[in-house]
Amino acid sequence: MEPFDEKGIATLAADDVSTADTTSPSTTDEIKEHPRYTRYLVIASCFTIQGLSCGVVHSWGVQQEYLANNVYKDEPKKIETLSYIGTLMFFSLYLWGMPAGWIAEVWSYRNLCFIGVVIMAVGQVLASFCSEPWQLCITQGIVFGVGIGLVFGPTSTAPAGWFTKRRGLATGITVAGVGVGGLVIAPLTEFLVRTTSVAWSQRITAIYILVLGTISCWFVRVPTQNTHRSFRSFNWREFKNRRFAVHAGMVFFVTAAYIVPYTYLPEFWVTHGISSQTASVLIAVANVASSVGRIVTGFSADYIGVLNSLVLSLGIACVSCLLVWPFATNIGVGVVIGLFYGFTAGGYWSVAPLAAAKLFGIEKLASNTGTFYTVSAVGAWLGNPVGNAILSGPGHGTQFLGMSIYIGVLWFSAFVMAVVNRASYSKRLIDIV
């Protein structure tokens, strides 16, 4: 007897799997064999792992601000080195996307995620014993980043295989874990740093990552596991496909832009007289908006089309950086930029894998998405350092104008590429694609 017969979230599971032309008959049969709560557990587990991993990345700005203004206050070179840590986490997340996607598809989503969770916990423990920024680059940046890279792609794509009619909503709820994780972890990190130390905040982070992550990994699975594929079966000629290359370029530009505001907005607000505690709250607001944006954008994709939702979210993110950020010098406008940027930039993460599924098929979603992430790793590496270099230039140290323009241009480039792929699918503006 299957539970959750009521309306509401149970509607998500009442999925007409026969309506998808991208799902094979065997996959459809496998989905029907499992009870409804299996799908809920997959979503909940992936949601939790996304929150634990990316929430720490989004909260790094809190620790960076504390270290820069207290521990390394009079050491500009060490402060500059700190700027690479967020970049290294983000870079590692993307660099491991392709092998993680393939390993998950040909071996096990569950086992791969468990390995990633253990590595994340080890990275935090090692970071807690570091006394120099370069050591944090290795532990917090690279080791922890590898762990994120192993779990991010599989948990982003696993729920999509369980749904067709409401695939957007399912994916949106899953990736909303990133925003919720940031909402919880950013204030928690700020509290721990203020009441204990950066080191103890990292140790406590390692504990809850290991406990909650291990439990969640047990429920990460897909309807079918294709064990007949291998790395040798990857077709590099895919990049000759214009849609494939354009989509990879879009992911590259978004990757370069996305994390920079989360890293530097706390410093921007503190520079303009807002307390570090209030700045952490404003980041939490952005994470709330990100969670809502992921769900709403995923839900809208089921009705107005995945590619349409993608274009819309990228366009608004561009506007928020170019027209709102330069004026966010007080709490009121800070809330506005947090809401606008968090909502639209977060919404991108719901529809990006769905767009890949629509353009290239659901069967290779994990490996294709991972490939896009790996290709865009260079963008992840360039994002924060280039922003920091612009911020260090004459006239930008207090206004952050150059940085906001830089981020806006990156989002605009991604927007243009999304429009190109949408137009290649259908040139009619009113079409639901």
Side-chain angles (χ1 to χ4, degrees), residues 58 62 182 186 261-263 265-266 269 278-288:
H58 287 185
V62 175
Y262 285 101
T263 302
L265 276 175
W269 286 319
T278 303
S280 70
V281 172
L282 292 176
I283 286 295
V285 168
N287 282 301
V288 172

Side-chain angles (χ1 to χ4, degrees), residues 107-256:
W107 181 44
S108 170
Y109 279 71
R110 176 191 299 165
N111 294 342
L112 181 63
C113 286
F114 176 73
I115 293 173
V117 164
V118 171
I119 293 175
M120 285 193 293
V122 170
Q124 288 293 300
V125 172
L126 293 176
S128 71
F129 293 100
C130 295
S131 58
E132 296 292 331
W134 69 266
Q135 297 170 340
L136 287 171
C137 285
I138 296 174
T139 55
Q140 178 90 14
I142 297 177
V143 177
F144 183 79
V146 169
I148 303 174
L150 294 181
V151 303
F152 182 73
T155 55
S156 298
T157 57
W162 293 94
F163 299 88
T164 55
K165 186 177 179 181
R166 296 177 182 85
R167 182 176 292 160
L169 178 58
T171 304
I173 293 173
T174 300
V175 298
V178 175
V180 174
L183 168 66
V184 175
I185 294 175
L188 175 60
T189 300
E190 196 279 332
F191 171 78
L192 291 173
V193 168
R194 181 163 44 87
T195 57
T196 59
S197 64
V198 171
W200 271 106
S201 72
Q202 292 165 331
R203 291 165 193 156
I204 295 173
T205 298
I207 293 172
Y208 63 70
I209 284 178
L210 188 61
V211 174
L212 297 177
T214 300
I215 296 172
S216 299
C217 286
W218 181 256
F219 302 102
V220 178
R221 59 187 300 184
V222 289
T224 57
Q225 193 81 46
N226 187 353
T227 58
H228 298 291
R229 297 178 61 200
S230 66
F231 285 99
R232 294 181 180 179
S233 61
F234 179 74
N235 185 7
W236 290 99
R237 295 180 181 178
E238 292 281 2
F239 287 97
K240 294 184 178 181
N241 182 318
R242 190 183 73 170
R243 284 182 180 174
F244 196 91
V246 169
H247 194 82
M250 179 200 71
V251 176
F252 171 88
F253 285 114
V254 172
T255 304

